[in-house]
Structures are given as structure tokens and as C-alpha cells.
Amino acid sequence: MGRAGDVFGRRGGHRQLKQLTGGMKGMVGRLSVAVVALLICTVSLFSTIGGNRSVIRSKVKVGDLWETAPSEGWRPSSTPRSSWPPPPNESNGYLRVRCNGGLNQQRSAICNAVLAARIMNATLVLPELDTNSFWRDESGFKGIYDVEHFIKSLRYDVKIVESLPDVHEHGKSKKMKAYQIRPPRDAPPSWYSTVALQKMKEHGAIYLTPFSHRLAEEVDEPEYQRLRCRVNYHALRFKPNIMKLSNAIVSKLSSQGHFMAIHLRFEMDMLAFAGCLDIFTPKEQEILKKYRAENFAPKELNYSVRRAIGKCPLTPEEVGLILRAMGFDNSTRIYLAAGELFGGERFMKPFRDLFPRLENHSTVLAAEELQENTRGLVGAAVDYMVCLLADIFMPTYDGPSNFANNLMGHRLYFGFRTTIQPDRKALAPIFVDRENGKTASFEDAIGKIMFNTEFGGPHKRVHPESFYTNSWPECFCQKSAKNPGDKCPPENALEALNSRLQTQKGEEPKYNQAEIDT
């Protein structure tokens, strides 16, 4: 879960000394908030609609979105393009990490762990997933990912073992202990090559916990970034039972034509985190306030201001209205990747009325096919794969470490598959106007914003966009590149790595192209 949003100031928190004085202060406070929200909406509306009018992609048709986005000659490639020696026979010690958070936060942490091990010339112990506190299950790495494939895919990059070795002291054998360290957030590679490495050499093994966002995303070494891509898009493969179930869902959805997957983040934790409470009943608001108090740092969040700057998750109805404004009709088949939606059917009904062909894993497959395979981390993994393979993917909230972030990056790498990414800040004033009865040109205003995006094609990564959301250009190449650094590596790049690795071990080179993901 990411950190809470920015503070926008506290409304009057002092007790009333006099009723009249208190009433006037409250009125001024409410008017001030209203004026701020109105100004934000007005500026946002003119800047997003008026300012972009000249660059609207009028040639884009909704039917074209079912195909992949234009690649402009780029293709994914995470193989090394410069000197990349295999891991030495002797490492500096063992690295343990505990990856906290949800599925995608953990994926990013695993990528960082492999890179950290490479930087330190360490032997990586199979990463631990903090499944119990977040998901309340005990699946762990071995319950989600194909361990053998993970270790084999990264054999040119790092040494990986499933557990710490035993040590022998005074005639007794016991498990090696790792020295525990709390890494700084977004630590540079130099921290690992100095502070962490020194502790590793002193103790033989170190244990980094927690390990979420503990290695800077933006690093100057392109080969480090390509290693992250090799981990994320090649080595991290879900177990066969998850892949089988995901493929069964995708096959059934695809049997009737194109389908879209939507990550509908209208759930209790995200709504409480965002501070978007006013649309709910008093009882529901109390539930959200209680959840927020128990899980997030205290902070005064005003709904109107939060809404105006796009900090609230889109409601199901708003998602439906966006799709309709873009030209999708009610025959569109939609797969919903979501937990339990807060507020229940009264929020889903307007969406269902617009798009009745809504599905989730429970409606696509029979109960006996699902069994225990859609709970906790495993259920998130199934949703991940269905969203990855969908013709179109649409996230409704892409906050820090969100499920959608890694998926958007994976779809980009997986052949520029179309992603519809709503600009919530730009859309907010349009929805606010609609709620206030100003419905003229509503769909036209939505369309002007939504059709002025990249839809998943190659584009420059601009802060705060994450590397895991957009690994272009480091993990892409062009066969006919003007810039030598963008040129695709030779087809035998991995064969050369394999040969070097086997030579170092004193073995005859053994290589099979079909065994290696490129």
C-alpha cells in the first residue's frame, strides 16, 4: 500500500468559544474549501480540454483500440548489450529479503533483490513474501511462482538458493543466521556496494526487511535496468496451476471475440486511503474512517479538494460513462479484476446498466474449476494474467505500488498491448459539472481527454511514472536504430552468456535456444 496523499490543510479544528463566532468561522472555512475546489476544477478543465484541443488524436477510432498500439519499430529486449560477466564462482555472502505489500509491490521488490545481489556479488536466498499480514495466507514464493524456472532463467545474472546453508560449530549443525538490516528507502546502488556489502562480509549473510522501495528505480546503468526486466518479464513465471486457470478464463472470454479487463479499485482500503468518503452513507463513512485510523497516519482530507485534483478512485458508474463516451457499446465484454467493492450493488448497478456483459473469475468458470485457486495471492495472480492477456486493459486507480502499475509495464513489454489510462485530474471537473446538472457536451469533453493518450505505445518516462510502469527505452530496441545504443543485440547474445558461464565452471557449453526466454 502506498503512502497517503498530500495534506491540503486542516479545516477549523478548534472548539467553539462562542456560537456566532464559531458559525462564521465554519462558514468561511467551508467557503474557502469550495473556492479552492472550484478554482482547481476550472483551471484543470481549461488546461486539459482547451489546451489539448489542437493535439487531439482525431484519427483514433474505438475499433482500433482492440489491436496493439503502434510500436514505431521498437520491440522488447532485455538481453545484455555490453559486457555482462556471469556471477563468479565465489560470492561475498548470502542475501535474504522480505518483500512486503501486495502482489505487484512484491514483484518490484523481487526485481530489486536480484539487482542488489548482482551489485554485491551475493548469493540470493529465494525471496520471502509477506503473505500473512497482507493476504492472510501462507502461499509464499513457492506457492505462487515457478521456482525452478526462476533460478534457471537468472543463472547468467546471480546465484540463487532456496535457503541459507547449515553451518557446523563445535560438532553441531545449525542454520546460518543472517544479520538484519532495515535498508533506507530508495537507496542508491552505492549503499549496497558499501554499507550492505560490508555487513555481509562481516556476518556472511544479511537480512533486509522490510524490502519494498528499498533500491532506487532510476539508475544510470542501463544493464541494471535490463536485469530488472529479465526478472520481471521472464524469470517471474507463475506456477502451472495458476497459468492453466488463467488461460482457461482467457480462452472462454476470447471465444466470443475481444474482451477488456478493468482493474476496478473501488475497495475499502483504497477509498479509506484516498479519503474519499462523502458519497457514502453515514454508517459506511464510519467504517472507512475506522479503517483509515487503524491503517494510515492521521491526516485531514477534504473530499471536494481530493476529488478536484483526481485523488479519488473512479466510481463504477464513472468508468461506464468514460467507456460510453469513447464509443464502446453495451455489447462490450468486460472482465473485472477487483476485490470486494465497497458500497455493494448500488454502485455497480449504474455500470451494469451501461455494460451488462460484466464478468469476473467466478462467473467465467464453474465453481469446481476454481476450487481454492482464486483466494489471496493466487487469486491476484490469476487476475494479473487475465489482465495481461486482455485485448484492452483499463486501470481506474494507479497509485503507488498499485496492481495496475506493474501490469501497464508488462503489457508495454508484451508487445505494446492497448492500455486505457484515465486522467482522473482532468476528468474530475467534468464529472463534478455533470453532478451539478451541467451535462451539455459531456461525452465530447470526456472523449477529448481520453483520446489524447498513448494507449500503450512507446513513450518517454516522466516522473512520477515508475520504471516498472514504463521500461522504455532501456528494455526495448530497434533493428534499424539511429542511436547505436538503441540497436537490437545480436540474436546469439544469450548463447554467448551461456558459453561464458559454462567455461567458467569448466564445463562443455550446453545451450538450447528453446529453454531461454528472450
Side-chain angles (χ1 to χ4, degrees):
M1 183 61 62
R3 295 169 294 177
D6 299 331
V7 179
F8 299 100
R10 296 178 179 270
R11 291 188 293 177
H14 304 289
R15 295 182 178 273
Q16 294 180 348
L17 298 178
K18 294 182 181 179
Q19 185 176 3
L20 179 60
T21 304
M24 291 180 68
K25 287 182 178 179
M27 182 180 295
V28 170
R30 287 190 294 272
L31 285 173
S32 299
V33 170
V35 169
V36 171
L38 180 61
L39 284 172
I40 292 172
C41 287
T42 303
V43 171
S44 179
L45 180 62
F46 278 99
S47 64
T48 55
I49 297 178
N52 287 336
R53 184 169 294 159
S54 62
V55 293
I56 297 300
R57 299 188 173 196
S58 56
K59 293 183 180 180
V60 177
K61 297 179 181 179
V62 68
D64 297 336
L65 297 180
W66 294 113
E67 306 301 327
T68 56
S71 69
E72 300 175 16
W74 293 90
R75 69 173 180 84
S77 174
S78 57
T79 56
R81 301 177 204 176
S82 59
S83 176
W84 189 256
N89 288 327
E90 296 295 326
S91 72
N92 288 319
Y94 293 88
L95 172 64
R96 282 181 63 199
V97 299
R98 181 175 65 85
C99 306
N100 54 304
L103 177 71
N104 293 280
Q105 191 167 329
Q106 291 174 359
R107 285 183 74 101
S108 300
I110 294 167
C111 297
N112 288 343
V114 172
L115 177 53
R118 174 77 189 196
I119 292 170
M120 294 188 288
N121 180 29
T123 298
L124 178 66
V125 180
L126 203 64
E128 301 168 21
L129 306 187
D130 184 23
T131 53
N132 190 51
S133 63
F134 190 90
W135 296 100
R136 293 179 174 84
D137 71 28
E138 299 291 345
S139 301
F141 194 101
K142 294 182 179 180
I144 303 297
Y145 296 108
D146 185 331
V147 173
E148 182 180 356
H149 176 79
F150 180 74
I151 295 174
K152 184 177 181 181
S153 297
L154 296 171
R155 64 192 182 276
Y156 310 118
D157 304 303
V158 293
K159 291 182 178 179
I160 303 173
V161 295
E162 295 192 27
S163 62
L164 285 171
D166 291 335
V167 292
H168 302 278
E169 294 181 357
H170 310 296
K172 294 182 179 180
S173 178
K174 61 180 181 179
K175 190 69 67 177
M176 176 186 282
K177 289 186 177 180
Y179 181 79
Q180 186 169 322
I181 308 174
R182 184 184 181 93
R185 188 178 177 88
D186 298 321
S190 59
W191 183 86
Y192 290 89
S193 61
T194 54
V195 177
L197 180 58
Q198 180 182 348
K199 292 297 181 182
M200 178 177 287
K201 289 181 176 180
E202 288 176 10
H203 300 276
I206 58 173
Y207 181 35
L208 304 184
T209 178
F211 198 72
S212 173
H213 304 290
R214 301 295 157 169
L215 178 55
E217 284 190 16
E218 295 299 334
V219 295
D220 294 332
E221 174 52 71
E223 294 296 3
Y224 284 174
Q225 300 294 55
R226 284 190 272 273
L227 173 56
R228 280 170 158 158
C229 289
R230 289 199 292 281
V231 180
N232 207 7
Y233 307 135
H234 297 288
L236 280 176
R237 186 168 71 187
F238 294 121
K239 292 187 69 173
N241 64 304
I242 296 174
M243 301 298 286
K244 181 180 178 181
L245 183 61
S246 305
N247 287 331
I249 292 174
V250 171
S251 294
K252 288 201 174 184
L253 291 170
S254 300
S255 64
Q256 299 182 37
H258 295 296
F259 79 95
M260 174 190 304
I262 296 179
H263 184 224
L264 194 55
R265 198 67 169 94
F266 198 73
E267 299 155 338
M268 180 170 64
D269 62 332
M270 185 52 69
L271 291 162
F273 164 72
C276 301
L277 315 181
D278 290 23
I279 59 175
F280 297 101
T281 66
K283 183 178 179 180
E284 290 168 340
Q285 289 187 33
E286 287 304 314
I287 294 172
L288 292 173
K289 288 177 182 177
K290 182 175 183 293
Y291 186 93
R292 179 171 180 82
E294 293 173 350
N295 293 278
F296 306 110
K299 188 173 291 188
E300 284 289 334
L301 300 175
N302 178 271
Y303 171 74
S304 298
V305 175
R306 300 287 287 170
R307 177 84 187 283
I309 60 173
K311 293 294 185 180
C312 290
L314 294 171
T315 69
E317 181 181 22
E318 288 170 345
V319 174
L321 291 171
I322 289 170
L323 294 177
R324 188 177 68 178
M326 292 182 71
F328 292 97
D329 60 35
N330 62 4
S331 68
T332 304
R333 197 166 198 187
I334 298 173
Y335 178 88
L336 293 180
E340 184 177 354
L341 266 65
F342 193 75
E345 184 59 24
R346 86 172 186 277
F347 284 99
M348 278 301 300
K349 187 178 184 306
F351 188 15
R352 204 181 303 279
D353 289 343
L354 290 168
F355 293 92
R357 301 186 70 188
L358 298 180
E359 305 274 10
N360 58 38
H361 51 241
S362 298
T363 62
V364 176
L365 296 181
E368 57 270 19
E369 292 182 86
L370 297 174
Q371 297 177 353
E372 298 295 316
N373 288 325
T374 54
R375 295 182 181 178
L377 263 177
V378 176
V382 170
D383 277 347
Y384 183 98
M385 287 305 303
V386 176
C387 290
L388 173 63
L389 299 173
D391 298 295
I392 296 174
F393 173 62
M394 178 179 177
T396 62
Y397 194 87
D398 53 341
S401 303
N402 190 263
F403 179 90
N405 282 350
N406 215 320
L407 259 169
M408 289 190 286
H410 204 156
R411 287 177 63 86
L412 191 74
Y413 190 87
F414 198 53
F416 303 105
R417 302 175 79 84
T418 301
T419 296
I420 298 174
Q421 191 174 0
D423 184 340
R424 294 190 310 281
K425 184 176 180 180
L427 293 167
I430 302 172
F431 283 120
V432 171
D433 280 348
R434 180 178 179 273
E435 290 166 8
N436 294 328
K438 300 175 184 178
T439 58
S441 303
F442 170 77
E443 291 195 353
D444 184 52
I446 294 287
K448 285 176 180 176
I449 291 170
M450 295 305 301
F451 281 106
N452 190 32
T453 67
E454 299 292 343
F455 293 116
H459 60 281
K460 184 178 180 180
R461 185 170 66 251
V462 178
H463 183 78
E465 189 176 30
S466 164
F467 173 79
Y468 293 104
T469 300
N470 179 12
S471 60
W472 186 89
E474 294 96 331
C475 296
F476 294 82
C477 67
Q478 286 181 312
K479 288 189 175 181
S480 302
K482 295 180 180 179
N483 182 355
D486 295 331
K487 189 175 181 181
C488 289
E491 295 296 329
N492 64 349
L494 285 177
E495 185 174 359
L497 286 174
N498 181 74
S499 179
R500 269 182 262 164
L501 181 64
Q502 300 302 331
T503 300
Q504 183 190 68
K505 291 181 176 181
E507 302 174 6
E508 289 296 320
K510 299 175 183 177
Y511 175 74
N512 183 349
Q513 178 70 49
E515 292 181 350
I516 300 174
D517 291 316
T518 56

